[in-house]
């Protein structure tokens, strides 16, 4: 996988970044370079409208089913599995489009020793995909934001 990444690094840079100028230090091991390319691609995907809208629409549609208690309803597990599958498939599809020969198992193996090198946003996303408690907190956070937004809208109408 590393060899394929090295061979296709210039193709990835030229095809997806167009006229944007980037500097990739060609120092470190091939694994470091491969990891940096994957993380850069994930950062780009996280900012794409399709990804953001898909995540927000799911949260908006389902967040009101969650309660901030220690008890977990059965529906939470089904929603967690649905969310995880949907977002993993989208992330894997986009990474495969951006990085020739991309392999999620390979990226996961690179990630094991580099968790501290991820930005908080990427770390939170990956945690929400694999950790039920993180997913539940994301849904509750979205619910609080939605409720605060509704409160502000009601205040504007009433005031």
């Amino acid at each position: 996988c590393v060899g394929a990444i090295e061979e296709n690094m210039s193709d990835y840079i030229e095809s997806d970044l167009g006229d944007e100028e980037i500097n990739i230090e060609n120092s470190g091991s091939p694994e470091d370079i491969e990891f940096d390319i994957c993380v850069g691609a994930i950062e780009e995907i996280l900012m794409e409208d399709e990804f953001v809208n898909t995540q927000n629409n799911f949260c908006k549609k389902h967040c009101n089913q969650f309660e901030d208690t220690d008890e977990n309803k059965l529906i939470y597990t089904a929603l967690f599995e649905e969310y995880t599958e949907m977002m993993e498939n989208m992330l894997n599809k986009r990474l495969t489009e951006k990085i020739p020969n991309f392999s999620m198992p390979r990226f996961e193996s690179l990630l094991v020793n580099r968790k501290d090198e991820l930005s908080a946003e990427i770390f939170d996303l990956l945690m929400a995909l694999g950790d039920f408690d993180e997913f539940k907190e994301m849904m509750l956070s979205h619910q609080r934001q939605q409720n605060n937004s509704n409160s502000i809208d009601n205040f504007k109408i009433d005031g």
Side-chain angles (χ1 to χ4, degrees):
C1 188
V2 174
I5 293 289
E6 287 177 335
E7 289 173 18
N8 294 305
M9 186 172 14
S10 62
D11 293 340
Y12 163 72
I13 292 168
E14 291 171 14
S15 66
D16 276 347
L17 299 178
D19 294 334
E20 292 181 37
E21 183 177 319
I22 67 165
N23 295 315
I24 293 182
E25 277 187 44
N26 203 4
S27 61
S29 69
E31 290 83 10
D32 290 340
I33 295 168
E34 180 179 8
F35 180 78
D36 290 344
I37 290 170
C38 291
V39 169
I42 291 171
E43 288 173 341
E44 290 174 16
I45 294 166
L46 290 180
M47 291 185 285
E48 293 175 351
D49 289 341
E50 178 186 9
F51 191 90
V52 172
N53 292 337
T54 300
Q55 185 177 42
N56 285 337
N57 290 339
F58 183 90
C59 291
K60 186 184 294 184
K61 180 178 179 182
H62 300 291
C63 71
N64 289 321
Q65 299 206 35
F66 287 78
E67 297 173 2
D68 196 0
T69 65
D70 290 337
E71 296 292 321
N72 291 318
K73 298 178 182 178
L74 289 175
I75 187 73
Y76 298 178
T77 302
L79 290 171
F80 173 64
E81 290 170 356
E82 180 183 343
Y83 173 81
T84 299
E85 183 179 348
M86 177 181 67
M87 299 311 284
E88 281 181 352
N89 286 342
M90 179 180 282
L91 185 60
N92 194 43
K93 176 181 176 265
R94 292 295 296 128
L95 283 167
T96 303
E97 291 169 358
K98 288 181 168 291
I99 303 171
N101 301 312
F102 174 78
S103 163
M104 186 59 80
R106 171 69 180 151
F107 176 67
E108 290 169 353
S109 72
L110 293 170
L111 184 60
V112 169
N113 296 321
R114 295 174 174 85
K115 291 178 186 172
D116 58 336
E117 296 178 32
L118 293 176
S119 70
E121 185 177 10
I122 292 176
F123 183 79
D124 290 345
L125 170 77
L126 295 176
M127 288 301 294
L129 290 176
D131 184 288
F132 174 80
D133 292 329
E134 289 289 329
F135 168 76
K136 182 179 177 184
E137 182 52 42
M138 178 185 74
M139 296 300 283
L140 291 169
S141 175
H142 196 86
Q143 182 185 71
R144 287 188 291 270
Q145 289 174 353
Q146 191 170 331
N147 290 341
N148 287 341
S149 177
N150 290 341
S151 295
I152 291 170
D153 289 342
N154 289 338
F155 177 76
K156 288 178 184 175
I157 292 171
D158 294 339

